[in-house]
Amino acid sequence: MAPPTQFFLFMCFLFGIVLVFGESDNYIVHMDTTVMPNIYSDHHSWYSTMVDSALASSKADGTPFPSNSKLIYSYHHAIQGFSAHLSPGELEAIRNSPGYVSSVRDMPVKLDTTHSFQFLGLTYKSGAWPASNYGRDVIIGLVDTGIWPESSSFNDSGMSEIPARWKGGCHQAGFQFNGSVCNKKLIGARYFNKGIVAKTPKLILKLNSTRDTNGHGTHTSSTAAGNYVKGASFFGYAPGTARGMAPRARIAMYKALWPEGGFESDIIAAIDQAISDGVDVLSISLGTDVKALHLDPVAIATYAAIEKGIFVTTSAGNDGPYGATLHNGTPWVITVAAGDLDRNFGGVITLGNGVQVEGMSIFPGNPLFPRTPMVFMGLCNDTAALSRVRRKIVVCEDNGNMLRHQISYTQTANISCSIFITNGLDIERYLMNPLPAMVLETKAGKVIKDYISGASGKRKPKASVEFKHTVIGGGRPAPRVASYSSRGPSPSCPFVLKPDVLAPGTLILAAWSQNSPTAFLGSKDLYSKYNLVSGTSMSTPHVAGVAALLKAARPKWSPAAIRSAIMTTSYLNDSTGRPIEDLGANHVGTPATPLAMGAGHINPNKALNPGLVYDATMEDYNNLLCGLNYTAKEIQTITRSSSSTTICSNPTLDLNYPSFMALFDFSKTTTREFHRTLTNVGEDSASYRATVTPVKGYNVTVEPKVLVFKKKFQKLSYKLTIKGPTGGGKVEQVAWGYVTWTDFHGKYEVKSPIVATTDRIESLGPTRKAN
Ligand SMILES: *[C@@H]1O[C@H](CO)[C@@H](O)[C@H](O)[C@H]1NC(C)=O
Ligand SMILES: *[C@@H]1O[C@H](CO)[C@@H](O)[C@H](O)[C@H]1NC(C)=O
Ligand SMILES: *[C@@H]1O[C@H](CO)[C@@H](O)[C@H](O)[C@H]1NC(C)=O
Ligand SMILES: *[C@@H]1O[C@H](CO)[C@@H](O)[C@H](O)[C@H]1NC(C)=O
Ligand SMILES: *[C@@H]1O[C@H](CO)[C@@H](O)[C@H](O)[C@H]1NC(C)=O
Ligand SMILES: *[C@@H]1O[C@H](CO)[C@@H](O)[C@H](O)[C@H]1NC(C)=O
Ligand SMILES: *[C@@H]1O[C@H](CO)[C@@H](O)[C@H](O)[C@H]1NC(C)=O
Ligand SMILES: *[C@@H]1O[C@H](CO)[C@@H](O)[C@H](O)[C@H]1NC(C)=O
């Protein structure tokens, strides 16, 4: 390791080089197309002429080095404008060109890295599957790492002909990929690499085509809409028939993430193409950590998608359990958090006295440890001592934060079988180890410790260990919010509660690519057709699949109506009837707040019949942008309509959203008012009554308390008022409750979370720095 001074000099050296050659970089440039001179036949020729003349004028300025500036992409739908590789002088020339709105540097983006359908209550008999014909003909586009088309999950058996309205295709050939791999399930495949190539000129992409480079995109697409595949499992774990949430929906893959990196210019191009091809649902399991909406390419491009009626689902991110770590906290998309399933993977430890104990593991091998000597090694932090017992079953006990280290110590010592006892909640990430290992909760661990300390003399402690058991149900509460799932509030718009919903994301079984190992056995790579993976990347396509079912069953609903249906029908209690727990908390049983799980856990069958929905139009989103005090140019960057037509006549922070987020100063009692409009999507005549669960330290009232609908699609409004805090200094940072509209027949419950917080939000405000 280099001492700090050397490191510092090295940094200066690098920086020096950058300065000498001029800081050329990729830029995304937003344009006002209404001022395009008539001489141009299309936007593309306008943009390329502009870039060419910027090149010429900056050379005339005397730029010393030859420039490699060029137009990367012209965008048509996702944004109005283009991306180009520009020197500072060229960027300056572009900024002085007519029609220029704004520009940002092209930044990297980050990937949010069989049973889940049963857990969600989907059945053949009734509910969202039959009602939607399993998502028939709905097209789900995914922006991801590519796809492994040969996977059985993308077999098109049972699929009808491709709808005539589909404008996309699989014509773009590339490395190990051509149109012949597409079918009636996989109907679109494109890749976008011009941005990353412009960033890194000598780059050679290892897998320069839509073929999946690392399995992620194959996993997300098969989770959303994979076909039925019998006998899928991960080395024997989670065995059964694999299928996506919407098994009859179609898939279009837009690859814009490469193992070599991923850049915004390519992501925008992918979304641009998906909009133009005519996808119905867009699933985006990636994000940027840009805070301001007008600088966030995903926020900008998805605004255009929503405008076209495309439902957009995005991942909250994997930076939990800390607050305000969420990305994609964009008011027009659905932002998905991740939870676990009622399923344990592991094995059985049979002690010498015949007592059996269950442990957790997804170890891929099947080693047998028949009646093997067992030893308790406490903290397991002495590798020399561990090496002396390496042929035994070694039992370790965590003191709170040792587990990670214990795993590495036992691996260094090459222990043939390790058992880790821990009271930690966040253990899912420790289940995959290259050597045989199991993780036990304290209670099960005590059985083993007691047995070892009781065994004496000739009856030395022994145990037999078996792997590859899958236990469904098992009595533990499920779902629980995963520790890694990013938490709200949304740094880009704290006035809208985010995330929106919780969906399965932990240890999800779905298809994988055959060029990327799924496990390690000792030092050997193992491959499998299905992989167990965790992340909000995995929960996001679950919601894409559910949205596809709703689109098929309710074709007239807007993206906001579908989002509302998914949110207001979600559930709050786990399989044991208690409030859903937060695995990121310090104590077992801590309930998850709406800042961790949004409105609750998705419930697809109920989402089909929500009774009432909170709808929102593009105008509502524009009024919110005005309320957030974005400038006319910033709003134009997002809405793509020229500044003269963007009039902030009705600025407001009060979006017609299915949840409530109220910010308070802890030292001052104030009143916050929200106005909401409900649309009746149930029976013609229906009456609803509001109930409010108490929000600790606040007084919440609803006016009126009864809404009487006379017609289907009728809209009625109400006002919700939150007064507080009234705790006299002892206010909780995050207080929450729910407002529920229940119809008089008890058929529908339309539930919205209410969060009141005294957390300091100023630090979360948009960072306004554009180029
Ligand atoms: C697709 O599935 C059908 C029915 O299970 C099977 O007959 C066919 O061989 C599969 N096709 C491919 C390419 O695997
Ligand atoms: C297309 O790809 C398939 C499978 O990779 C291959 O068998 C076939 O020869 C390719 N066709 C063309 C025209 O390149
Ligand atoms: C990617 O493939 C295309 C066409 O197949 C080729 O023109 C291009 O040079 C390749 N780019 C990289 C970075 O490998
Ligand atoms: C193991 O941890 C304990 C408690 O922290 C410490 O006292 C001991 O010195 C450690 N042993 C080694 C070998 O590091
Ligand atoms: C670890 O132990 C196994 C047998 O238990 C042996 O085959 C392997 O070579 C050992 N690995 C190392 C790195 O010592
Ligand atoms: C959910 O749990 C809460 C708190 O324990 C309880 O009051 C409520 O009745 C439960 N709701 C359902 C639907 O079980
Ligand atoms: C927007 O500006 C107005 C007027 O300066 C101010 O009162 C309001 O608090 C600002 N809103 C936000 C969200 O910053
Ligand atoms: C809450 O506000 C209502 C209306 O202002 C009032 O009638 C009620 O007493 C208040 N409740 C509490 C607990 O402060």
Side-chain angles (χ1 to χ4, degrees):
M1 185 91 179
T5 44
Q6 271 185 29
F7 180 70
F8 179 71
L9 287 175
F10 179 66
M11 290 302 288
C12 291
F13 178 66
L14 275 183
F15 193 55
I17 286 189
V18 169
L19 288 182
V20 170
F21 288 97
E23 294 171 82
S24 281
D25 206 338
N26 290 0
Y27 290 88
I28 296 157
V29 181
H30 297 269
M31 299 293 296
D32 181 351
T33 52
T34 59
V35 305
M36 179 175 85
N38 309 337
I39 50 164
Y40 299 106
S41 54
D42 56 24
H43 297 156
H44 177 74
S45 48
W46 183 33
Y47 302 150
S48 41
T49 309
M50 194 181 307
V51 171
D52 286 349
S53 61
L55 188 72
S57 69
S58 94
K59 275 210 177 115
D61 287 352
T63 307
F65 288 91
S67 170
N68 60 345
S69 295
K70 61 176 192 294
L71 189 65
I72 303 169
Y73 292 107
S74 294
Y75 304 112
H76 305 287
H77 307 279
I79 71 169
Q80 273 178 359
F82 57 89
S83 48
H85 195 78
L86 303 167
S87 71
E90 289 150 9
L91 178 63
E92 196 50 38
I94 299 270
R95 291 169 74 158
N96 294 325
S97 305
Y100 171 89
V101 176
S102 65
S103 61
V104 287
R105 205 184 283 259
D106 188 12
M107 298 298 282
V109 296
K110 80 184 183 196
L111 202 58
D112 295 324
T113 274
T114 56
H115 170 72
S116 53
F117 62 91
Q118 285 163 350
F119 183 74
L120 293 172
L122 290 167
T123 75
Y124 300 100
K125 291 204 186 80
S126 62
W129 265 358
S132 69
N133 228 327
Y134 304 86
R136 185 183 163 137
D137 278 353
V138 177
I139 300 161
I140 303 178
L142 299 102
V143 178
D144 216 302
T145 64
I147 194 160
W148 195 263
E150 293 82 7
S151 167
S152 307
S153 288
F154 311 125
N155 184 331
D156 68 355
S157 99
M159 300 288 296
S160 55
E161 290 306 314
I162 298 170
R165 66 191 165 90
W166 175 240
K167 294 204 274 299
C170 296
H171 320 298
Q172 194 186 15
F175 186 70
Q176 293 176 354
F177 202 101
N178 62 44
S180 75
V181 298
C182 287
N183 57 21
K184 290 180 256 174
K185 167 61 79 178
L186 176 61
I187 64 169
R190 297 285 301 253
Y191 62 95
F192 302 85
N193 63 15
K194 289 185 190 165
I196 186 170
V197 169
K199 274 265 186 185
T200 348
K202 290 213 174 93
L203 178 74
I204 293 175
L205 295 167
K206 265 186 257 135
L207 237 172
N208 185 14
S209 73
T210 317
R211 184 168 291 279
D212 195 352
T213 326
N214 76 356
H216 188 276
T218 302
H219 200 275
T220 54
S221 20
S222 57
T223 298
N227 210 333
Y228 304 87
V229 181
K230 286 201 185 110
S233 83
F234 174 73
F235 300 103
Y237 295 99
T241 299
R243 77 206 79 186
M245 285 295 107
R248 287 289 173 257
R250 302 177 201 270
I251 295 165
M253 173 54 64
Y254 299 88
K255 175 172 173 178
L257 291 161
W258 306 85
E260 294 86 358
F263 288 95
E264 294 173 350
S265 53
D266 289 327
I267 301 292
I268 297 173
I271 298 175
D272 201 57
Q273 188 67 47
I275 295 173
S276 143
D277 288 350
V279 304
D280 302 304
V281 175
L282 199 48
S283 186
I284 304 179
S285 288
L286 60 92
T288 68
D289 286 332
V290 179
K291 283 184 181 172
L293 293 170
H294 73 287
L295 301 177
D296 179 347
V298 179
I300 298 170
T302 56
Y303 180 97
I306 299 287
E307 205 172 29
K308 290 266 182 349
I310 299 169
F311 184 87
V312 182
T313 161
T314 64
S315 46
N318 299 335
D319 294 322
Y322 311 105
T325 47
L326 174 138
H327 58 203
N328 294 320
T330 305
W332 39 90
V333 303
I334 194 164
T335 313
V336 187
D340 65 3
L341 297 169
D342 60 341
R343 178 170 70 176
N344 283 337
F345 302 117
V348 173
I349 303 157
T350 308
L351 303 174
N353 60 6
V355 172
Q356 293 198 320
V357 178
E358 271 175 23
M360 288 167 278
S361 174
I362 53 171
F363 182 68
N366 204 5
L368 290 175
F369 297 98
R371 297 187 64 79
T372 307
M374 182 157 65
V375 58
F376 181 68
M377 297 294 286
L379 277 177
C380 286
N381 61 346
D382 182 345
T383 36
L386 286 175
S387 299
R388 291 194 285 274
V389 294
R390 58 161 298 267
R391 288 181 198 288
K392 298 188 178 177
I393 296 170
V394 171
V395 181
C396 310
E397 187 167 34
D398 181 17
N399 62 356
N401 51 13
M402 274 292 286
L403 184 55
R404 193 155 47 95
H405 305 291
Q406 288 173 336
I407 287 173
S408 108
Y409 295 148
T410 54
Q411 273 168 28
T412 307
N414 197 15
I415 301 292
S416 57
C417 182
S418 316
I419 290 172
F420 303 104
I421 302 171
T422 179
N423 60 1
L425 290 174
D426 186 17
I427 53 180
E428 160 271 322
R429 68 176 79 173
Y430 302 113
L431 301 186
M432 168 61 83
N433 291 296
L435 294 179
M438 257 188 229
V439 182
L440 263 64
E441 283 164 358
T442 313
K443 208 167 120 196
K446 186 166 182 305
V447 176
I448 294 190
K449 272 173 66 186
D450 289 350
Y451 163 68
I452 294 177
S453 61
S456 60
K458 284 201 197 109
R459 294 187 11 245
K460 291 251 167 62
K462 282 189 164 56
S464 307
V465 179
E466 244 181 73
F467 288 87
K468 301 201 177 179
H469 287 242
T470 300
V471 181
I472 292 172
R476 81 156 164 80
R480 300 171 296 181
V481 177
S483 175
Y484 59 76
S485 187
S486 292
R487 307 304 204 258
S490 160
S492 52
C493 182
F495 308 96
V496 173
L497 176 59
K498 292 278 176 174
D500 293 304
V501 281
L502 180 67
T506 294
L507 296 174
I508 300 302
L509 185 80
W512 202 250
S513 54
Q514 295 308 291
N515 55 358
S516 180
T518 56
F520 309 95
L521 194 55
S523 57
K524 209 171 95 205
D525 288 351
L526 298 182
Y527 295 82
S528 57
K529 291 183 171 164
Y530 287 80
N531 196 7
L532 285 173
V533 190
S534 304
T536 52
S537 276
M538 282 65 238
S539 56
T540 299
H542 275 93
V543 174
V546 172
L549 299 178
L550 294 179
K551 274 244 171 198
R554 306 283 182 254
K556 293 215 179 80
W557 287 5
S558 70
I562 293 177
R563 175 175 60 192
S564 175
I566 294 174
M567 287 172 69
T568 61
T569 58
S570 63
Y571 62 84
L572 301 171
N573 288 5
D574 64 26
S575 52
T576 66
R578 284 187 292 264
I580 292 173
E581 276 179 42
D582 187 340
L583 285 174
N586 292 323
H587 307 287
V588 181
T590 307
T593 78
L595 292 176
M597 66 168 183
H601 195 280
I602 58 166
N603 194 353
N605 291 335
K606 277 210 157 172
L608 204 53
N609 296 302
L612 307 173
V613 293
Y614 294 86
D615 209 347
T617 62
M618 299 321 282
E619 198 186 335
D620 294 331
Y621 296 127
N622 296 355
N623 291 339
L624 175 71
L625 292 171
C626 294
L628 287 164
N629 291 342
Y630 281 104
T631 65
K633 281 245 152 131
E634 290 165 350
I635 293 174
Q636 186 185 1
T637 301
I638 300 169
T639 63
R640 306 173 331 288
S641 57
S642 71
S643 46
S644 57
T645 62
T646 315
I647 311 158
C648 282
S649 57
N650 186 17
T652 177
L653 294 173
D654 190 10
L655 180 66
N656 194 39
Y657 211 76
S659 59
F660 297 84
M661 177 81 185
L663 312 178
F664 288 93
D665 185 337
F666 75 94
S667 59
K668 207 165 58 213
T669 299
T670 36
T671 301
R672 301 264 183 260
E673 267 184 22
F674 298 87
H675 298 87
R676 292 289 185 272
T677 300
L678 283 159
T679 307
N680 176 23
V681 295
E683 284 81 27
D684 269 344
S685 98
S687 302
Y688 285 81
R689 181 178 288 116
T691 48
V692 178
T693 62
V695 178
K696 211 169 161 191
Y698 296 86
N699 186 356
V700 182
T701 51
V702 173
E703 197 54 46
K705 290 185 179 56
V706 170
L707 294 175
V708 180
F709 293 90
K710 302 227 164 62
K711 285 203 312 274
K712 196 161 176 170
F713 303 121
Q714 188 187 347
K715 291 175 189 288
L716 291 175
S717 301
Y718 71 95
K719 185 174 89 181
L720 183 134
T721 309
I722 311 176
K723 191 177 172 197
T726 55
K730 281 198 298 179
V731 185
E732 299 190 21
Q733 272 188 329
V734 177
W736 78 99
Y738 296 89
V739 56
T740 307
W741 289 92
T742 311
D743 80 302
F744 285 12
H745 300 293
K747 185 169 171 192
Y748 303 111
E749 276 190 348
V750 188
K751 170 186 53 59
S752 294
I754 303 166
V755 170
T757 178
T758 54
D759 263 353
R760 292 168 65 85
I761 301 289
E762 308 88 84
S763 57
L764 302 173
T767 48
R768 301 281 172 71
K769 206 166 166 295
N771 281 288

Short mmCIF file of all heavy atoms in Angstrom, two decimals, residues 139-167:
data_model
loop_
_atom_site.label_atom_id
_atom_site.label_comp_id
_atom_site.label_asym_id
_atom_site.label_seq_id
_atom_site.Cartn_x
_atom_site.Cartn_y
_atom_site.Cartn_z
N ILE A 139 -46.35 -5.64 -23.37
CA ILE A 139 -44.92 -5.67 -23.70
C ILE A 139 -44.12 -4.96 -22.60
O ILE A 139 -44.36 -3.79 -22.31
CB ILE A 139 -44.66 -4.99 -25.06
CG1 ILE A 139 -45.44 -5.73 -26.16
CG2 ILE A 139 -43.16 -4.98 -25.37
CD1 ILE A 139 -45.63 -4.92 -27.42
N ILE A 140 -43.22 -5.71 -21.97
CA ILE A 140 -42.39 -5.16 -20.91
C ILE A 140 -40.99 -4.90 -21.45
O ILE A 140 -40.33 -5.82 -21.92
CB ILE A 140 -42.30 -6.12 -19.71
CG1 ILE A 140 -43.70 -6.45 -19.18
CG2 ILE A 140 -41.43 -5.52 -18.60
CD1 ILE A 140 -43.71 -7.44 -18.01
N GLY A 141 -40.56 -3.66 -21.42
CA GLY A 141 -39.21 -3.31 -21.83
C GLY A 141 -38.33 -3.20 -20.59
O GLY A 141 -38.77 -2.70 -19.56
N LEU A 142 -37.10 -3.71 -20.69
CA LEU A 142 -36.17 -3.61 -19.56
C LEU A 142 -34.88 -2.96 -20.03
O LEU A 142 -34.36 -3.31 -21.11
CB LEU A 142 -35.86 -4.99 -18.98
CG LEU A 142 -37.06 -5.76 -18.42
CD1 LEU A 142 -37.52 -6.81 -19.41
CD2 LEU A 142 -36.73 -6.39 -17.08
N VAL A 143 -34.39 -2.00 -19.26
CA VAL A 143 -33.09 -1.40 -19.53
C VAL A 143 -32.12 -2.09 -18.58
O VAL A 143 -32.24 -1.94 -17.36
CB VAL A 143 -33.12 0.12 -19.29
CG1 VAL A 143 -31.74 0.72 -19.54
CG2 VAL A 143 -34.16 0.77 -20.17
N ASP A 144 -31.20 -2.89 -19.11
CA ASP A 144 -30.43 -3.75 -18.22
C ASP A 144 -29.13 -4.21 -18.88
O ASP A 144 -28.63 -3.55 -19.79
CB ASP A 144 -31.31 -4.94 -17.80
CG ASP A 144 -31.06 -5.36 -16.36
OD1 ASP A 144 -29.91 -5.67 -16.04
OD2 ASP A 144 -32.01 -5.37 -15.56
N THR A 145 -28.60 -5.36 -18.43
CA THR A 145 -27.29 -5.84 -18.90
C THR A 145 -27.38 -6.77 -20.10
O THR A 145 -26.39 -7.36 -20.49
CB THR A 145 -26.58 -6.63 -17.78
OG1 THR A 145 -27.36 -7.80 -17.47
CG2 THR A 145 -26.41 -5.81 -16.52
N GLY A 146 -28.58 -6.92 -20.68
CA GLY A 146 -28.75 -7.82 -21.81
C GLY A 146 -29.55 -9.04 -21.41
O GLY A 146 -30.12 -9.09 -20.32
N ILE A 147 -29.58 -10.01 -22.31
CA ILE A 147 -30.41 -11.18 -22.06
C ILE A 147 -29.74 -12.43 -22.62
O ILE A 147 -28.97 -12.35 -23.59
CB ILE A 147 -31.83 -10.96 -22.67
CG1 ILE A 147 -32.83 -11.98 -22.14
CG2 ILE A 147 -31.78 -10.95 -24.20
CD1 ILE A 147 -34.28 -11.55 -22.31
N TRP A 148 -30.00 -13.59 -21.99
CA TRP A 148 -29.50 -14.87 -22.46
C TRP A 148 -30.67 -15.55 -23.16
O TRP A 148 -31.49 -16.19 -22.53
CB TRP A 148 -29.01 -15.71 -21.27
CG TRP A 148 -28.16 -16.85 -21.70
CD1 TRP A 148 -28.56 -18.15 -21.88
CD2 TRP A 148 -26.77 -16.82 -22.03
NE1 TRP A 148 -27.50 -18.91 -22.30
CE2 TRP A 148 -26.39 -18.12 -22.40
CE3 TRP A 148 -25.80 -15.80 -22.05
CZ2 TRP A 148 -25.09 -18.44 -22.79
CZ3 TRP A 148 -24.51 -16.12 -22.43
CH2 TRP A 148 -24.16 -17.42 -22.79
N PRO A 149 -30.77 -15.36 -24.48
CA PRO A 149 -32.02 -15.73 -25.17
C PRO A 149 -32.32 -17.22 -25.15
O PRO A 149 -33.48 -17.61 -25.26
CB PRO A 149 -31.81 -15.23 -26.60
CG PRO A 149 -30.34 -15.07 -26.75
CD PRO A 149 -29.79 -14.76 -25.40
N GLU A 150 -31.28 -18.06 -24.99
CA GLU A 150 -31.50 -19.51 -25.01
C GLU A 150 -32.13 -20.03 -23.73
O GLU A 150 -32.51 -21.20 -23.67
CB GLU A 150 -30.17 -20.25 -25.25
CG GLU A 150 -29.57 -20.02 -26.64
CD GLU A 150 -28.77 -18.72 -26.74
OE1 GLU A 150 -28.58 -18.06 -25.70
OE2 GLU A 150 -28.37 -18.34 -27.87
N SER A 151 -32.24 -19.22 -22.70
CA SER A 151 -32.84 -19.71 -21.45
C SER A 151 -34.26 -20.19 -21.70
O SER A 151 -35.03 -19.55 -22.44
CB SER A 151 -32.87 -18.58 -20.41
OG SER A 151 -33.70 -18.97 -19.34
N SER A 152 -34.62 -21.30 -21.09
CA SER A 152 -35.97 -21.84 -21.24
C SER A 152 -37.04 -20.85 -20.80
O SER A 152 -38.18 -20.93 -21.22
CB SER A 152 -36.13 -23.12 -20.43
OG SER A 152 -35.12 -24.03 -20.76
N SER A 153 -36.69 -19.91 -19.95
CA SER A 153 -37.66 -18.91 -19.50
C SER A 153 -38.14 -18.03 -20.66
O SER A 153 -39.18 -17.39 -20.56
CB SER A 153 -37.05 -18.02 -18.42
OG SER A 153 -36.91 -18.73 -17.23
N PHE A 154 -37.35 -17.99 -21.74
CA PHE A 154 -37.74 -17.15 -22.88
C PHE A 154 -38.23 -18.00 -24.05
O PHE A 154 -38.34 -17.52 -25.18
CB PHE A 154 -36.59 -16.23 -23.28
CG PHE A 154 -36.00 -15.50 -22.11
CD1 PHE A 154 -34.65 -15.55 -21.80
CD2 PHE A 154 -36.83 -14.76 -21.27
CE1 PHE A 154 -34.13 -14.89 -20.70
CE2 PHE A 154 -36.32 -14.11 -20.16
CZ PHE A 154 -34.97 -14.17 -19.87
N ASN A 155 -38.50 -19.26 -23.81
CA ASN A 155 -39.15 -20.14 -24.79
C ASN A 155 -40.55 -19.55 -25.08
O ASN A 155 -41.24 -19.12 -24.16
CB ASN A 155 -39.27 -21.54 -24.16
CG ASN A 155 -39.82 -22.57 -25.12
OD1 ASN A 155 -40.60 -22.25 -26.02
ND2 ASN A 155 -39.45 -23.82 -24.90
N ASP A 156 -40.95 -19.52 -26.34
CA ASP A 156 -42.24 -18.88 -26.65
C ASP A 156 -43.39 -19.87 -26.80
O ASP A 156 -44.43 -19.52 -27.36
CB ASP A 156 -42.12 -17.98 -27.88
CG ASP A 156 -41.88 -18.76 -29.16
OD1 ASP A 156 -41.71 -20.00 -29.09
OD2 ASP A 156 -41.85 -18.12 -30.24
N SER A 157 -43.21 -21.07 -26.29
CA SER A 157 -44.31 -22.03 -26.45
C SER A 157 -45.55 -21.50 -25.70
O SER A 157 -45.45 -20.99 -24.59
CB SER A 157 -43.88 -23.41 -25.97
OG SER A 157 -44.33 -23.66 -24.69
N GLY A 158 -46.68 -21.54 -26.37
CA GLY A 158 -47.92 -21.04 -25.77
C GLY A 158 -48.17 -19.56 -26.01
O GLY A 158 -49.22 -19.05 -25.63
N MET A 159 -47.23 -18.87 -26.66
CA MET A 159 -47.42 -17.43 -26.88
C MET A 159 -48.13 -17.20 -28.22
O MET A 159 -47.84 -17.87 -29.20
CB MET A 159 -46.07 -16.70 -26.91
CG MET A 159 -45.23 -16.83 -25.65
SD MET A 159 -45.85 -15.90 -24.23
CE MET A 159 -45.72 -14.21 -24.81
N SER A 160 -49.01 -16.18 -28.24
CA SER A 160 -49.72 -15.85 -29.47
C SER A 160 -48.80 -15.02 -30.39
O SER A 160 -47.67 -14.70 -30.02
CB SER A 160 -50.99 -15.08 -29.13
OG SER A 160 -50.63 -13.96 -28.36
N GLU A 161 -49.32 -14.65 -31.56
CA GLU A 161 -48.54 -13.85 -32.51
C GLU A 161 -48.20 -12.48 -31.92
O GLU A 161 -48.95 -11.93 -31.12
CB GLU A 161 -49.32 -13.67 -33.82
CG GLU A 161 -49.45 -14.94 -34.64
CD GLU A 161 -48.12 -15.62 -34.93
OE1 GLU A 161 -47.17 -14.91 -35.33
OE2 GLU A 161 -48.01 -16.86 -34.73
N ILE A 162 -47.09 -11.92 -32.35
CA ILE A 162 -46.66 -10.61 -31.88
C ILE A 162 -47.67 -9.54 -32.33
O ILE A 162 -48.04 -9.51 -33.51
CB ILE A 162 -45.25 -10.29 -32.42
CG1 ILE A 162 -44.26 -11.32 -31.89
CG2 ILE A 162 -44.82 -8.87 -32.04
CD1 ILE A 162 -42.89 -11.27 -32.55
N PRO A 163 -48.12 -8.68 -31.42
CA PRO A 163 -49.12 -7.67 -31.82
C PRO A 163 -48.59 -6.77 -32.94
O PRO A 163 -47.42 -6.41 -32.94
CB PRO A 163 -49.37 -6.87 -30.54
CG PRO A 163 -48.62 -7.52 -29.45
CD PRO A 163 -47.76 -8.60 -30.01
N ALA A 164 -49.47 -6.41 -33.85
CA ALA A 164 -49.07 -5.62 -35.02
C ALA A 164 -48.57 -4.23 -34.62
O ALA A 164 -47.77 -3.63 -35.31
CB ALA A 164 -50.24 -5.50 -35.97
N ARG A 165 -49.03 -3.73 -33.46
CA ARG A 165 -48.64 -2.38 -33.05
C ARG A 165 -47.16 -2.30 -32.65
O ARG A 165 -46.60 -1.22 -32.52
CB ARG A 165 -49.50 -1.91 -31.87
CG ARG A 165 -49.26 -2.71 -30.61
CD ARG A 165 -50.29 -2.43 -29.52
NE ARG A 165 -50.20 -3.46 -28.50
CZ ARG A 165 -49.41 -3.38 -27.43
NH1 ARG A 165 -48.67 -2.33 -27.23
NH2 ARG A 165 -49.38 -4.37 -26.56
N TRP A 166 -46.52 -3.44 -32.43
CA TRP A 166 -45.11 -3.46 -31.98
C TRP A 166 -44.18 -2.95 -33.07
O TRP A 166 -44.18 -3.47 -34.19
CB TRP A 166 -44.73 -4.87 -31.54
CG TRP A 166 -43.28 -5.05 -31.17
CD1 TRP A 166 -42.39 -5.90 -31.75
CD2 TRP A 166 -42.57 -4.41 -30.11
NE1 TRP A 166 -41.17 -5.82 -31.13
CE2 TRP A 166 -41.24 -4.90 -30.12
CE3 TRP A 166 -42.91 -3.44 -29.15
CZ2 TRP A 166 -40.27 -4.47 -29.21
CZ3 TRP A 166 -41.94 -3.01 -28.26
CH2 TRP A 166 -40.64 -3.53 -28.29
N LYS A 167 -43.38 -1.93 -32.75
CA LYS A 167 -42.50 -1.34 -33.76
C LYS A 167 -41.04 -1.74 -33.56
O LYS A 167 -40.18 -1.38 -34.34
CB LYS A 167 -42.63 0.18 -33.72
CG LYS A 167 -44.03 0.66 -34.14
CD LYS A 167 -44.05 2.08 -34.65
CE LYS A 167 -44.20 3.13 -33.58
NZ LYS A 167 -45.43 3.08 -32.78
#
